[in-house]
Structure formats: structure tokens, C-alpha cells
């Protein structure tokens, strides 16, 4: 790790905000799924305020630290608020890198890429292990993928749209910010 050029006071505020956000998100993991789906109550409000403080403190940092912030925040939110344990490794790695910032040490590009890879891997694992639910991109509906390899135009459009929707969801959960309006 190299030394960062960011103001030490801004780094200290950022690390403190990250600790507060993590402390606010952890109780959400213990909520029952019905309450988690509604996202109401004091715990959720505390997490919203902590997230706002965290993102405000991250906005004053250099690009690499901001990238680290968004990746970690996405992984932590998906893990604790949405109950997806596949993101545990990515969240832990991001938290470790943020704690190194308290010493004024900047993460290397390799470490940030490792966090990106961990987020993408968690997203892929989560998609594989999540049951198919109607209305989600992974639900095949009445169209079967075991049909003949010769398809009509409507079937081809549907398959392309399904694949693009799945990729958009993967990128959004991994925190790349790449989305497609459609």
C-alpha cells in the first residue's frame, strides 16, 4: 500500500462513517424477512442516516478511495440489509481495506480490482443459489430454454432481452454503475 494524498482529517471522518454504517447495517441482518422487505423502523432509519453520512464523507476522497467506498457499501448493504450472505467475503475485504485507510495507507489498484472481482463473484453465486421467482430476470416463465435451437424472431428478442436484464442486474449488484435503461 502507498501513502494517500487525501487530507488525514477527511480520511478519519470517512473511516468513522464506515464504522458507523457497518454498525447500523449489522442489526438489519437479524430482522425477520417480512420487516426487512418493508424497510421500516428505527434500525432502517439509522442505517439510512449512516449511509448518507458515509457517502458524503466518501465524496471528498480521491477516485480510488471513492471506488472502494461504493463497492464496499454495495456489498455491505446487500449482505446485511438484504440478507445475501454470498457478499460476506466482498464486504469483509472492503472493510479491511477501509480500516487500512485509518493508518493513511492507500489501497493499491490490485486490491481494488480484487474487491471488484469479489463483488462480481458474489453476484454470480447469489444468482445461482437464489430460487427462481416470477417477475425476476432469472425466471424463465412459460418459455423453455430446452426448446429447439431454431427459434423465431420473437423468441430471439425475448432471449436477448432476458440476457441483457440479467447482465444489468449483475452489474448493478456488483457496484459497477453500468445500467441500461430500456
Amino acid at each position: 500500500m502507498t501513502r494517500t494524498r487525501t487530507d488525514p482529517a477527511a480520511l478519519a471522518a470517512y473511516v468513522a462513517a464506515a464504522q458507523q454504517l457497518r454498525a447500523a447495517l449489522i442489526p438489519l441482518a437479524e430482522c425477520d424477512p417480512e420487516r426487512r422487505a418493508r424497510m421500516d423502523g428505527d434500525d432502517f432509519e439509522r442505517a439510512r442516516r449512516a449511509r448518507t453520512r458515509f457517502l458524503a464523507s466518501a465524496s471528498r476522497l480521491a477516485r480510488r478511495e471513492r471506488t472502494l467506498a461504493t463497492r464496499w457499501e454495495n456489498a455491505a448493504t446487500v449482505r446485511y440489509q438484504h440478507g445475501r450472505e454470498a457478499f460476506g467475503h466482498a464486504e469483509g475485504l472492503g472493510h479491511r481495506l477501509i480500516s487500512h485507510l485509518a493508518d493513511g495507507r492507500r489501497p493499491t489498484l490490485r486490491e481494488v480490482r480484487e474487491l471488484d472481482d469479489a463483488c462480481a463473484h458474489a453476484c454470480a453465486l447469489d444468482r445461482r443459489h437464489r430460487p427462481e421467482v416470477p417477475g425476476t430476470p432469472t425466471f424463465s416463465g412459460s418459455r423453455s430454454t430446452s426448446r429447439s435451437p431454431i427459434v423465431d424472431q420473437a423468441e430471439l428478442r425475448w432471449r436477448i432481452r432476458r440476457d441483457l436484464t440479467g447482465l444489468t442486474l449483475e452489474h448493478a449488484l456488483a457496484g459497477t454503475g453500468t445500467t441500461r435503461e430500456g
Side-chain angles (χ1 to χ4, degrees):
M1 289 193 171
T2 59
R3 291 279 176 198
T4 181
R5 293 178 293 274
T6 305
D7 177 37
L11 278 177
Y14 168 70
V15 172
Q19 296 294 342
Q20 290 172 356
L21 177 59
R22 190 173 200 225
L25 286 174
I26 288 174
L28 299 182
E30 299 164 0
C31 293
D32 61 66
E34 182 180 311
R35 182 171 169 222
R36 191 183 297 152
R38 287 193 320 262
M39 291 192 193
D40 62 350
D42 294 337
D43 292 336
F44 289 97
E45 187 58 35
R46 190 175 316 114
R48 278 190 210 106
R49 286 193 307 268
R51 182 175 188 260
T52 302
R53 281 190 302 270
F54 175 75
L55 294 176
S57 68
S59 67
R60 296 177 287 196
L61 300 176
R63 176 189 259 175
R64 194 177 302 168
E65 286 84 1
R66 282 194 317 267
T67 301
L68 170 63
T70 57
R71 301 299 188 270
W72 175 77
E73 188 269 333
N74 284 339
T77 300
V78 172
R79 178 184 184 187
Y80 295 118
Q81 189 167 345
H82 300 287
R84 307 240 175 92
E85 280 303 313
F87 288 85
H89 173 68
E91 189 273 333
L93 177 62
H95 181 69
R96 182 178 55 81
L97 293 175
I98 288 173
S99 65
H100 286 305
L101 286 171
D103 303 331
R105 293 182 297 163
R106 188 177 193 196
T108 63
L109 285 175
R110 184 176 152 270
E111 290 171 325
V112 174
R113 280 192 207 113
E114 184 181 340
L115 179 60
D116 282 344
D117 291 344
C119 288
H121 179 69
C123 186
L125 279 178
D126 185 56
R127 285 193 73 204
R128 260 186 262 143
H129 296 299
R130 197 170 345 131
E132 288 191 0
V133 178
T136 63
T138 58
F139 184 66
S140 58
S142 63
R143 299 176 189 227
S144 173
T145 56
S146 63
R147 286 184 175 174
S148 168
I150 301 172
V151 297
D152 63 352
Q153 191 70 25
E155 178 76 13
L156 180 62
R157 276 196 308 266
W158 178 82
R159 288 181 182 185
I160 291 171
R161 191 175 305 121
R162 181 191 63 186
D163 291 344
L164 287 174
T165 304
L167 289 172
T168 301
L169 177 64
E170 280 184 27
H171 287 183
L173 287 176
T176 62
T178 305
T179 58
R180 181 175 183 259
E181 300 285 329

